[in-house]
Amino acid sequence: MKKRPAFSIALLAAMIALLVSAVASAGTMTVTVEGLRSDEGVVRVAIYDGPDGFPDRNAIFRIASIRSHNRQAKAVFTGLAPGRYAIAVHHDEDIDDEFDMFLFLPVEGFGFGNDAPLGFGPPSFDAASADVGVDGKDLVVHIRY
């Protein structure tokens, strides 16, 4: 039987320890969306891992497209590294993958983490974000029409 060098076993043990610690330090964010006017279409919940580009579509870190039930939807994001994440929600009632507007007014529902208020545009990353730790984070977003 061929004997393995001690450093290979030590390296393997170190890699396993790193993987276990990475999994153990991953958090879960649960976003519950309330106040939908219907169960038509899909609810898109996007999370952003930094302020650059928030809330543009090209800057999305992860997204979930989910159906609603009883005018409520829930998205669960697992395996998140501890950190700060912002949330943007869109109720795409006609499932055209577009945020429909009439003139400058939204036609479809939208919302942000912390129910962040709007100014002359979307809220800042900080206003719409929350810290996710190893214990995870549960958030509620109330949709606006």
Side-chain angles (χ1 to χ4, degrees):
M1 178 179 213
K2 198 172 191 179
K3 192 173 180 183
R4 292 198 182 270
F7 74 90
S8 294
I9 295 171
L11 179 62
L12 180 61
M15 289 174 52
I16 290 171
L18 283 172
L19 286 173
V20 168
S21 69
V23 170
S25 66
T28 298
M29 178 190 292
T30 303
V31 179
T32 303
V33 181
E34 296 181 346
L36 298 164
R37 69 178 164 201
S38 74
D39 288 327
E40 297 296 316
V42 296
V43 177
R44 292 200 171 85
V45 180
I47 60 172
Y48 298 79
D49 62 351
D52 291 340
F54 174 80
D56 293 335
R57 167 181 256 169
N58 295 334
I60 293 172
F61 174 63
R62 288 208 202 154
I63 190 165
S65 293
I66 50 180
R67 295 281 186 173
S68 63
H69 300 284
N70 297 322
R71 297 183 181 180
Q72 186 179 55
K74 186 176 289 191
V76 179
F77 299 94
T78 60
L80 296 174
R84 193 156 186 82
Y85 298 90
I87 296 93
V89 178
H90 167 216
H91 184 194
D92 189 4
E93 290 179 283
D94 57 4
I95 315 176
D96 66 352
D97 200 28
E98 297 291 329
F99 183 62
D100 297 336
M101 306 273 285
F102 178 72
L103 298 175
F104 295 104
L105 301 173
V107 175
E108 295 180 310
F110 66 95
F112 295 97
N114 303 319
D115 291 331
L118 304 176
F120 290 104
S124 69
F125 175 87
D126 286 335
S129 65
D131 291 318
V132 176
V134 293
D135 294 332
K137 186 72 173 180
D138 294 334
L139 298 166
V140 176
V141 173
H142 295 92
I143 205 85
R144 302 173 210 176
Y145 290 93

